[in-house]
Amino acid sequence: MTVTATDSLEGVSLLEELDPAYRLEIARQCRWRRYGAGEQIIDRQSETRDVFFIVRGSARVVIYSASGREVTLDDIPEGGFFGELAALDGAPRSASVMATADTLVASASPELFLRLVRENTSVAMTLLWRLAAMVRSSTERIVDLSTLGANNRVQAEILRRALEAPADDQGRPRISPIPVHSEVASRVSTTRETVARVLSDLARKGIVLRERNTLVVLDLGRLELMVSEMSP
Amino acid sequence: MTVTATDSLEGVSLLEELDPAYRLEIARQCRWRRYGAGEQIIDRQSETRDVFFIVRGSARVVIYSASGREVTLDDIPEGGFFGELAALDGAPRSASVMATADTLVASASPELFLRLVRENTSVAMTLLWRLAAMVRSSTERIVDLSTLGANNRVQAEILRRALEAPADDQGRPRISPIPVHSEVASRVSTTRETVARVLSDLARKGIVLRERNTLVVLDLGRLELMVSEMSP
């Protein structure tokens, strides 16, 4: 595709403290490409070491097991980036990445990326924070997988989404759109059936309510209690 | 304790590219302390944000669940460091850390640590590699926990240790000392009984042999095959 003058790396968090002229220079050195929802951006088997900036759209980091099970590792929003592990250590890709919406990415070669990190403290620090956050959320997931049953992991995931969701004027979180069962299942390593069962159970207890395309959490306190009683 | 002239940060990987005089200056700004094997260095509940350099000895990073289950996250060898997450993001400790041998640590305040990272590209890059490695090994563990049964996770852990162990002149890895069952269990999130059962099974099949304080892997190929058939 042809990159128009309006395409820029302005919204990319990793680069936000850089001088605009310098950032434009980097944009010119990137390769730009569009992907449709569901299209693969990084194949786990691929030999590339590029880093990808999400200028528009979003992406999902997944691993597929031999048995075909999909393990979702992360969702990267607009302005985020991915592919930094292979660029940093030169080892193979740890996972595959696919677009989850119409997505425009700019990709930097590992050489360009490492130069950016070495020469700009703000880039290095933002990258350190990002990796630290990844370690923390991975640790949380390892502990959940090691100590909680599948039902509790689903409850914990609904709670996490509730805490990130906007609340209505009565303080009730509104998760919208309603989480797709297979997506939650892949996030907490269980089956779609388990997710469906736990959500029905929460609805029956009056803790959540399905309202058109929104899951309203009616009783956040009780959901928090259910999860905290199980957590380490 | 009194720090003698021989105590230095020379063997600490994070600081190895720094000028020796500068490193000595940092050593003087650290707090030095000895811990006995089993003694706690970081309490997960603590409010400190210091970073610890292991000058001598070793340490283990663990989380204890409400039910008392111990989840081992990492083992840090001599020359390694820990506590960097809280220093980087200012959030609470993600885990507890205890000495696994007589251990001498030097601890840096978060201010000193962040200054080191900001002002020295070699420190920033080594820290990035370390965090990238932590993300990779966490990802591997999440995938193992999500897709493998407990028996296969134990086999995979024995294989990992075999690949890191020195081999005898017939190319057979010698894991010494023999892994403690409870330690392996805590590493792969299962019970001691499962570890004991899998090891007996591997011995019965002639894949491993217990020899004094060493576990000899007689048939690495077959162990690799058992694990790879299960892996994603």
Side-chain angles (χ1 to χ4, degrees):
Chain A
M1 61 161 280
T2 316
V3 179
T4 67
T6 53
D7 293 318
S8 92
L9 296 172
E10 209 181 285
V12 174
S13 58
L14 186 67
L15 312 174
E16 76 185 352
E17 287 189 37
L18 299 181
D19 179 76
Y22 181 46
R23 201 163 46 215
L24 195 63
E25 186 49 46
I26 297 159
R28 290 209 184 92
Q29 295 175 55
C30 286
R31 283 191 303 159
W32 291 71
R33 204 180 142 184
R34 269 178 221 286
Y35 295 86
E39 219 181 316
Q40 192 162 262
I41 306 176
I42 292 184
D43 177 350
R44 199 187 173 188
Q45 312 299 331
S46 79
E47 284 301 313
T48 65
R49 300 286 184 273
D50 292 350
V51 176
F52 296 78
F53 305 116
I54 304 185
V55 175
R56 271 195 298 284
S58 54
R60 178 164 299 151
V61 185
V62 287
I63 292 184
Y64 300 94
S65 77
S67 60
R69 190 158 190 172
E70 179 189 301
V71 180
T72 297
L73 294 172
D74 209 353
D75 280 297
I76 320 273
E78 190 165 300
F81 59 96
F82 56 88
E84 70 282 13
L85 295 184
L88 278 170
D89 62 18
R93 295 295 186 189
S94 60
S96 302
V97 181
M98 61 170 186
T100 44
D102 275 341
T103 296
L104 173 66
V105 298
S107 65
S109 69
E111 295 74 27
L112 172 60
F113 177 73
L114 288 174
R115 186 148 37 86
L116 272 172
V117 174
R118 283 178 189 279
E119 294 177 2
N120 300 280
T121 308
S122 76
V123 175
M125 295 310 296
T126 307
L127 184 56
L128 281 167
W129 290 324
R130 164 74 182 145
L131 291 177
M134 286 166 80
V135 172
R136 281 191 188 267
S137 77
S138 301
T139 297
E140 219 174 272
R141 185 156 174 189
I142 288 169
V143 172
D144 282 1
L145 282 165
S146 302
T147 61
L148 299 183
N151 288 2
N152 297 126
R153 297 202 302 272
V154 176
Q155 292 164 355
E157 176 68 13
I158 300 299
L159 175 61
R160 261 192 289 272
R161 293 182 186 217
L163 294 174
E164 286 169 6
D168 63 17
D169 48 17
Q170 291 164 73
R172 303 180 307 191
R174 297 180 63 85
I175 307 173
S176 179
I178 289 186
V180 178
H181 293 177
S182 60
E183 241 172 63
V184 174
S186 168
R187 265 280 182 185
V188 303
S189 308
T190 187
T191 59
R192 270 184 309 170
E193 291 71 20
T194 302
V195 176
R197 192 161 18 81
V198 171
L199 281 173
S200 300
D201 183 58
L202 290 174
R204 201 168 38 242
K205 287 178 173 150
I207 294 171
V208 301
L209 176 72
R210 201 177 263 276
E211 204 177 76
R212 285 164 179 258
N213 199 21
T214 300
L215 189 72
V216 188
V217 180
L218 301 175
D219 195 341
L220 186 64
R222 211 161 137 217
L223 182 60
E224 278 178 326
L225 201 67
M226 285 174 108
V227 172
S228 73
E229 276 171 352
M230 293 300 147
S231 278
Chain B
M1 60 163 281
T2 318
V3 179
T4 68
T6 54
D7 294 318
S8 92
L9 296 172
E10 210 181 284
V12 174
S13 58
L14 187 68
L15 311 174
E16 75 187 351
E17 286 188 37
L18 299 181
D19 178 75
Y22 180 48
R23 201 163 45 215
L24 195 63
E25 186 49 46
I26 296 160
R28 288 208 187 93
Q29 294 176 55
C30 287
R31 283 191 304 159
W32 292 71
R33 204 180 142 183
R34 271 178 220 286
Y35 294 87
E39 219 180 317
Q40 191 162 269
I41 306 175
I42 292 183
D43 177 350
R44 199 187 174 190
Q45 311 299 329
S46 79
E47 283 301 311
T48 66
R49 300 286 185 271
D50 292 349
V51 175
F52 296 79
F53 304 116
I54 304 186
V55 175
R56 272 194 298 285
S58 54
R60 177 164 300 151
V61 185
V62 287
I63 291 184
Y64 301 94
S65 77
S67 60
R69 190 158 191 172
E70 181 189 299
V71 180
T72 297
L73 293 173
D74 209 353
D75 279 298
I76 320 272
E78 190 165 300
F81 59 96
F82 55 87
E84 70 282 12
L85 296 185
L88 278 171
D89 62 18
R93 296 295 187 189
S94 61
S96 302
V97 181
M98 62 169 183
T100 44
D102 274 343
T103 296
L104 174 64
V105 297
S107 63
S109 70
E111 295 74 25
L112 173 59
F113 177 73
L114 289 173
R115 186 147 37 84
L116 274 171
V117 174
R118 283 178 189 278
E119 294 177 3
N120 300 279
T121 308
S122 75
V123 175
M125 294 310 295
T126 306
L127 185 56
L128 281 167
W129 291 323
R130 164 74 182 143
L131 291 177
M134 286 166 80
V135 172
R136 282 192 187 265
S137 77
S138 301
T139 298
E140 219 173 271
R141 185 157 175 189
I142 288 168
V143 172
D144 282 1
L145 282 165
S146 302
T147 62
L148 300 182
N151 288 2
N152 299 126
R153 296 203 303 271
V154 176
Q155 293 163 355
E157 176 68 12
I158 300 298
L159 175 61
R160 260 192 290 271
R161 292 182 186 217
L163 294 174
E164 285 169 6
D168 64 17
D169 47 19
Q170 291 163 71
R172 304 182 306 192
R174 296 179 63 82
I175 306 172
S176 180
I178 291 186
V180 178
H181 292 179
S182 60
E183 242 172 62
V184 175
S186 167
R187 265 280 184 187
V188 302
S189 309
T190 185
T191 60
R192 269 184 310 170
E193 292 70 22
T194 301
V195 176
R197 193 163 15 82
V198 171
L199 281 173
S200 302
D201 183 58
L202 290 174
R204 202 169 40 243
K205 287 178 173 151
I207 294 172
V208 301
L209 177 71
R210 203 176 262 274
E211 204 178 75
R212 284 163 181 259
N213 199 19
T214 300
L215 188 73
V216 188
V217 180
L218 302 174
D219 196 341
L220 186 64
R222 210 159 138 220
L223 182 60
E224 278 178 328
L225 201 67
M226 284 175 108
V227 173
S228 72
E229 277 172 351
M230 292 300 148
S231 275

